[in-house]
Amino acid sequence: MLKVLKSGFFTTIQDQGRFGYLNKGVPVAGVMDIFSAAKLNLLLENTANAAVMEITMTGPTLVFEEPTYICLGGADISVTLNNSLIKHFKVYKVVKGDILSYGRLKKGFRNYLAIKNGFKTVKVLGSRSLYNPITTTSRLTDGAMVPYLPCDSYSSKVSEWQIDSFLDKTTLNVSKGPEFEFLDDKQLVQLFSKEFAIAKEYNRMAYQIEQTISGHKISMLTSATLPGTVQLTPSGKLIVLMKDGQTTGGYPRILQLSDLAISILAQKKYGDFISFKLV
């Protein structure tokens, strides 16, 4: 078991997501930055869908009760193992009583902790991803116990990655959404010629954009949405749906983010700038 002494700002367990239930109104959920999580699972030779811990902004303090191997990466946060700084994207062995502590956030927004064989929390609808009300809680709290399989011996083929971080990237590659053709020339220029700042309203459900573009009077039926769908409200507000986002919406779906663009956006916080590039 892994004991959570301090949970941090918003710490969850996530795998790649919960698929096949969008028609029932159940969001995909899963890791916000799928690229960072995937690299960590590769280092530990885990399956691609092995559950990891997603740590947002302020990290937890954790105690390991059994030996295993771990690695972490994503947002640039100071992390210590028994009060000694450790590197990102490097495999470390831990033993009973070892304490992992997260410190100051330097860059990015979400960090990931992977463990050999993945965390073994309960599966609900085929996924370990926390999403209330599908799961009993939406996050880990102080005192929580997170199960994992002990591993006393493991020889990794690669023990450390040299990562070309995308934390500094601000360009989001997008494709045309179903209602893209409704945009006029003025809206297109506004959309692709300037930078936008992340608004105060942002979380695992959606990122709102501070600046607006010209509004619209389009009337449409509620239609299916996905993580990465960019909606345009009548007032010109841009809303980017994320992993816990609604499965349908009544606003025009003008753009769709690529998987990498979702990961880049997931590492942004209030006041950070992004721009859209049509590909």
Side-chain angles (χ1 to χ4, degrees), residues 89-140:
F89 296 103
K90 181 177 180 179
V91 176
Y92 290 90
K93 182 176 182 179
V94 294
V95 297
K96 182 177 180 179
D98 279 356
I99 299 177
L100 191 75
S101 299
Y102 277 73
R104 185 172 65 89
L105 175 67
K106 302 175 183 177
K107 185 184 297 184
F109 196 58
R110 291 178 171 89
N111 189 270
Y112 293 88
L113 172 66
I115 195 166
K116 181 61 180 170
N117 299 312
F119 290 105
K120 301 301 180 182
T121 49
V122 175
K123 281 189 176 182
V124 181
L125 298 181
S127 173
R128 304 184 198 276
S129 295
L130 293 183
Y131 173 76
N132 184 261
I134 302 302
T135 56
T136 56
T137 182
S138 61
R139 56 184 290 184
L140 298 177

Side-chain angles (χ1 to χ4, degrees), residues 26-38:
V26 179
V28 172
V31 289
M32 292 276 277
D33 177 357
I34 196 170
F35 281 82
S36 293

Side-chain angles (χ1 to χ4, degrees), residues 92-245:
Y92 290 90
K93 182 176 182 179
V94 294
V95 297
K96 182 177 180 179
D98 279 356
I99 299 177
L100 191 75
S101 299
Y102 277 73
R104 185 172 65 89
L105 175 67
K106 302 175 183 177
K107 185 184 297 184
F109 196 58
R110 291 178 171 89
N111 189 270
Y112 293 88
L113 172 66
I115 195 166
K116 181 61 180 170
N117 299 312
F119 290 105
K120 301 301 180 182
T121 49
V122 175
K123 281 189 176 182
V124 181
L125 298 181
S127 173
R128 304 184 198 276
S129 295
L130 293 183
Y131 173 76
N132 184 261
I134 302 302
T135 56
T136 56
T137 182
S138 61
R139 56 184 290 184
L140 298 177
T141 56
D142 294 357
M145 303 295 290
V146 185
Y148 63 89
L149 299 177
C151 179
D152 197 39
S153 179
Y154 163 65
S155 178
S156 57
K157 295 183 178 69
V158 178
S159 62
E160 185 174 1
W161 292 118
Q162 284 295 113
I163 296 297
D164 180 16
S165 174
F166 51 72
L167 296 180
D168 291 322
K169 292 186 181 299
T170 60
T171 301
L172 306 182
N173 286 347
V174 297
S175 56
K176 296 178 181 179
E179 285 74 51
F180 180 83
E181 301 303 330
F182 290 138
L183 297 173
D184 60 30
D185 290 343
K186 181 179 179 181
Q187 289 169 319
L188 290 172
V189 169
Q190 292 171 333
L191 199 55
F192 296 115
S193 66
K194 64 180 182 180
E195 287 188 318
F196 297 92
I198 306 301
K200 292 181 179 179
E201 300 81 14
Y202 69 104
N203 52 33
R204 283 186 52 88
M205 294 182 66
Y207 270 56
Q208 294 193 31
I209 304 302
E210 190 72 39
Q211 297 85 355
T212 61
I213 66 172
S214 297
H216 65 85
K217 296 181 180 180
I218 300 169
S219 178
M220 57 177 283
L221 295 174
T222 296
S223 302
T225 57
L226 295 168
T229 297
V230 182
Q231 296 181 304
L232 178 63
T233 71
S235 65
K237 188 83 170 176
L238 296 169
I239 302 172
V240 187
L241 300 182
M242 299 298 274
K243 293 302 182 73
D244 289 353

